[in-house]
């Protein structure tokens, strides 16, 4: 059992390294090589094929009454959030996006309070307040910080975090009822249906002849690692560690993003990201992490 727990932590580490690297890798080919909507179209289409290929080995049907909830999950968890994220990262700094995404536990708690009537303690309220201050300061700092930051891009990433957080709340009953692969297969299928009208025209107008080897490698990384393996790593880890342990690994994403941007700026001498690291962003990141820590920290039990 101990060996499996170690494997689970390695899986979580791998998943969040992938997510952290993805911010700057995905941004690298947009919009010069491919538009955000076309990129999402390819990602969701390929993800649907990969997850349904695994689903063939899981003989499980879903009840008709759950189809509508699965469609909602597809809209919020695979279509809206990915379109918002890719359009947002296309406009803003990878560091800004990674910091904003760590607010997901804060947003999930707010949704849970209104939709699931979960209690918010004074400690959690303090965590929400501190985390929100950090996120709002970062968003407002977007147009004044130099580098690749953007107010509009940051706002789109916030909307992405909000839609994904809503997905996490409404998918919870389905995850308890069905196998995780069954759920994600249907989520991606419905997601593709919703993405289709937004991405098809962008895909058709894409100049594939201009793609370089690097372009195909980036798309392959996002499809195979960010979309497929990262999710499987998370599903595997949830079999052995608690959701709170799983979510705590989100702290790694800004750190990985900072490292990647530093490599691009100071090792590869890419001036595009040279101004993306500053004291304000570091302070905002610390505020968000403190806020999420307060939310995830279990209350002390009385002896």
């Amino acid at each position: 059992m101990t060996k499996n727990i170690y494997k689970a932590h390695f899986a979580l580490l791998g998943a969040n390294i992938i997510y952290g690297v993805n911010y700057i890798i995905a941004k690298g080919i947009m919009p010069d090589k491919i538009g955000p909507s076309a990129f999402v179209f390819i990602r969701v289409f390929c993800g649907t094929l990969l997850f349904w290929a695994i689903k063939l080995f899981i003989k499980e049907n879903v009840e008709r009454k759950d189809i509508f909830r699965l469609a909602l999950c597809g809209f919020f968890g695979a279509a809206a959030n990915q379109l918002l994220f890719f359009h947002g990262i296309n406009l803003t700094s990878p560091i800004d996006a990674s910091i904003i995404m760590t607010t997901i536990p804060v947003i999930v708690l707010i949704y849970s309070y209104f939709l699931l009537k979960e209690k918010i303690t004074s400690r959690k309220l303090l965590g929400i307040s501190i985390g929100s201050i950090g996120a709002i300061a970062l968003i407002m700092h977007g147009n004044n910080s130099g580098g690749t930051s953007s107010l509009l891009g940051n706002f789109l990433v916030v909307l992405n975090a909000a839609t994904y957080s809503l997905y996490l709340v409404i998918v919870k009953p389905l995850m308890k009822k069905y196998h995780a692969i069954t759920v994600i297969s249907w989520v991606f299928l419905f997601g593709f249906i919703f993405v289709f009208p937004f991405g098809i025209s962008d895909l058709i107008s894409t100049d594939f002849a201009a793609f370089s080897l690097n372009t195909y490698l980036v798309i392959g990384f996002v499809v195979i690692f960010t979309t497929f393996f990262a999710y499987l790593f998370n599903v595997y880890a949830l079999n052995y560690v608690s959701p709170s342990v799983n979510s705590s690994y989100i702290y790694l994403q800004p750190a990985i993003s900072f490292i990647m941007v530093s490599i691009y700026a100071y090792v590869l001498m890419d001036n595009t990201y040279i101004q993306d690291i500053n004291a304000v962003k570091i302070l905002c990141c610390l505020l968000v992490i403190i806020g999420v820590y307060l939310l995830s920290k279990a209350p002390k039990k009385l002896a």
Side-chain angles (χ1 to χ4, degrees), residues 30-171:
M30 296 188 297
D32 295 336
K33 296 294 185 180
I34 188 170
S37 295
F39 205 163
V40 173
F41 184 100
I42 293 173
R43 180 183 181 183
V44 178
F45 174 71
C46 293
T48 302
L49 294 180
L50 290 170
F51 286 121
W52 275 94
I54 296 180
K55 175 68 175 67
L56 293 175
F57 299 96
I58 301 173
K59 306 301 181 182
E60 183 180 44
N61 297 320
V62 298
E63 296 180 22
R64 184 176 296 180
K65 65 179 182 180
D66 292 324
I67 295 296
F68 179 70
R69 182 180 286 266
L70 283 167
L72 283 178
C73 291
F75 177 77
F76 290 111
N81 79 298
Q82 290 195 31
L83 285 168
L84 289 166
F85 176 78
F86 273 74
H87 279 276
I89 196 69
N90 179 51
L91 296 173
T92 197
S93 162
I95 287 180
D96 289 30
S98 65
I99 295 172
I100 292 169
M101 289 302 288
T102 60
T103 63
I104 285 177
V106 176
I107 303 172
V108 167
L109 184 65
I110 295 172
Y111 280 140
S112 298
Y113 172 75
F114 288 104
L115 299 178
L116 304 179
K117 308 303 179 184
E118 291 188 5
K119 184 179 179 182
I120 296 182
T121 63
S122 56
R123 174 177 55 80
K124 289 183 177 180
L125 184 61
L126 178 62
I128 291 173
S129 302
I130 294 174
S132 298
I133 289 171
I136 292 170
L138 179 65
I139 296 165
M140 300 308 295
H141 185 61
N143 279 359
N144 302 312
S145 61
T148 60
S149 297
S150 159
L151 176 61
L152 176 59
N154 285 353
F155 181 67
L156 291 175
V157 176
V158 170
L159 291 180
N160 154 58
T163 55
Y164 186 71
S165 299
L166 182 56
Y167 157 74
L168 292 177
V169 174
I170 63 178
V171 80

Side-chain angles (χ1 to χ4, degrees), residues 35 37-38 41 195-208:
S37 295
F41 184 100
V195 164
F196 189 89
F198 295 96
I200 188 63
S201 60
D202 200 7
L203 184 74
I204 292 172
S205 63
T206 300
D207 183 11
F208 290 98

